[in-house]
Amino acid sequence: MNWIKTFVQGMIFGVANVIPGFSGGTIAYMLGIYEKLLIAISDLLPNRNKKRKEYLLFLGFLGVGAALAILIFSGVITYILDTPHLAEYFYFFIIGSILGSISIVVLHEEDMNLSFIRLLIMIGTILGFLYITNSLNIGENNNLPEVTNKIFFFKITEMDLGYYLWLFFIGIIAAGAMILPGFSGSALFVSLGEYYNILYFIEEMMIVPLIFLALGCALGVLLLSKVLTVLLERFRGGTTYSIIGLMLASIYILYNEMNGINFEQIILNIIFLVVGFLLAFFINQHSKKVH
């Protein structure tokens, strides 16, 4: 096996998972590694598969490539978000990419017939997550943690245990979504108001919150992906509408992050929205053809 190729595929996979609206599962399809990825993850559990060593090496090279890409690219995204006019362009690009991903789901799902129950599920998902983010002030980055100590280049912080557990929880949810084609784990971070904070933790190498997030992601990949797969198999319509509701809620949260729209640059905003929509649409469209 070409491990350098696997490493590069991991970097592409990692970049896709950083950009809200883009699906890591979709990129895995495009790279031709999706089925092997699922088998390799399942093989982490105790079994007698003779290819266990090969799968572990595959996940190792893929994971290192993804982690390196996330580490590098997160700094670029943080710089963009800290620059007001660039941040607005980026938010419009994200909104467009989310709308593009939703469009692909609606066009390609076999059973998207709207019923009263499904409408309630979608609306309930939107209202539920907006209530959580508003009432608990989740995702506000005005009080980001201060560094209290250092171990090599890792920074130690003191934060509330409840917030660490929250990071663990959202890591479970987002990791499960990351490996489902068409759905974006980073868009879930956006919808929960934690996208900027997580980029900040990565850029500043804040080890404790990253550990809790990583543990949640690991558990999510091992367990929640199986649960979501079962839900999509048995209750695909309702589950899909719930995920669409979550993505729609993220658009509202993004609007609040912008603190209003600068109409002097509205033309460029619209251009970035359209570019984001088309890019997400055609990437996901191609993945359907590959599948």
Side-chain angles (χ1 to χ4, degrees):
M1 177 176 289
N2 189 335
W3 299 118
I4 295 178
K5 179 181 178 181
T6 303
F7 176 80
V8 174
Q9 289 172 331
M11 294 194 70
I12 298 172
F13 182 75
V15 170
N17 278 310
V18 171
I19 303 176
F22 289 92
S23 165
T26 293
I27 295 300
Y29 260 123
M30 295 176 62
L31 296 174
I33 60 173
Y34 184 73
E35 185 175 356
K36 185 173 183 177
L37 178 61
L38 291 183
I39 295 174
I41 291 172
S42 300
D43 192 65
L44 290 175
L45 301 176
N47 57 58
R48 297 179 180 178
N49 195 318
K50 295 181 180 179
K51 292 187 176 181
R52 183 179 179 83
K53 182 178 179 180
E54 178 186 336
Y55 288 149
L56 287 174
L57 287 172
F58 169 74
L59 289 175
F61 279 89
L62 194 74
V64 170
L68 181 61
I70 291 172
L71 182 62
I72 295 172
F73 203 65
S74 62
V76 176
I77 298 298
T78 302
Y79 171 78
I80 292 173
L81 294 179
D82 285 337
T83 308
H85 67 282
L86 293 179
E88 188 167 322
Y89 298 149
F90 183 66
Y91 284 135
F92 271 90
F93 175 81
I94 294 174
I95 291 173
S97 66
I98 292 173
L99 291 174
S101 296
I102 291 174
S103 300
I104 284 295
V105 173
V106 172
L107 288 174
H108 288 276
E109 284 294 324
E110 294 181 0
D111 181 15
M112 286 301 296
N113 295 326
L114 182 62
S115 66
F116 180 71
I117 296 298
R118 291 179 177 179
L119 182 61
L120 283 181
I121 290 174
M122 185 175 67
I123 294 175
T125 301
I126 293 172
L127 295 178
F129 275 97
L130 289 180
Y131 173 77
I132 291 173
T133 56
N134 289 330
S135 63
L136 300 181
N137 294 319
I138 293 170
E140 289 191 354
N141 49 46
N142 296 322
N143 297 306
L144 290 171
E146 296 182 358
V147 177
T148 58
N149 202 352
K150 285 188 177 182
I151 299 179
F152 297 106
F153 52 85
F154 292 106
K155 298 178 181 178
I156 307 300
T157 59
E158 291 184 0
M159 299 174 67
D160 182 73
L161 177 61
Y163 184 69
Y164 287 142
L165 295 177
W166 167 250
L167 288 176
F168 176 78
F169 174 71
I170 65 173
I172 295 174
I173 298 175
M178 284 176 185
I179 61 174
L180 291 174
F183 303 119
S184 169
S186 51
L188 287 177
F189 285 143
V190 171
S191 70
L192 294 169
E194 291 293 339
Y195 184 65
Y196 183 91
N197 287 358
I198 291 170
L199 290 180
Y200 176 79
F201 298 148
I202 295 172
E203 183 185 19
E204 295 297 322
M205 297 300 293
M206 294 188 171
I207 187 170
V208 179
L210 289 177
I211 287 175
F212 276 86
L213 184 67
L215 289 174
C217 288
L219 184 60
V221 167
L222 287 172
L223 302 178
L224 191 61
S225 59
K226 299 181 184 296
V227 175
L228 290 174
T229 300
V230 171
L231 287 175
L232 285 169
E233 287 177 352
R234 299 184 180 181
F235 311 102
R236 191 172 188 88
T239 304
T240 302
Y241 269 95
S242 178
I243 296 174
I244 289 175
L246 189 59
M247 298 176 82
L248 290 173
S250 72
I251 293 176
Y252 175 80
I253 293 173
L254 280 172
Y255 175 78
N256 286 339
E257 288 287 332
M258 285 189 286
N259 296 317
I261 298 174
N262 183 354
F263 288 97
E264 293 181 359
Q265 54 192 45
I266 191 64
I267 301 299
L268 283 175
N269 288 336
I270 293 174
I271 291 174
F272 275 96
L273 185 145
V274 172
V275 169
F277 178 91
L278 293 176
L279 194 56
F281 184 90
F282 285 114
I283 286 178
N284 287 279
Q285 175 84 351
H286 178 72
S287 75
K288 296 292 180 179
K289 294 177 181 179
V290 172
H291 177 59

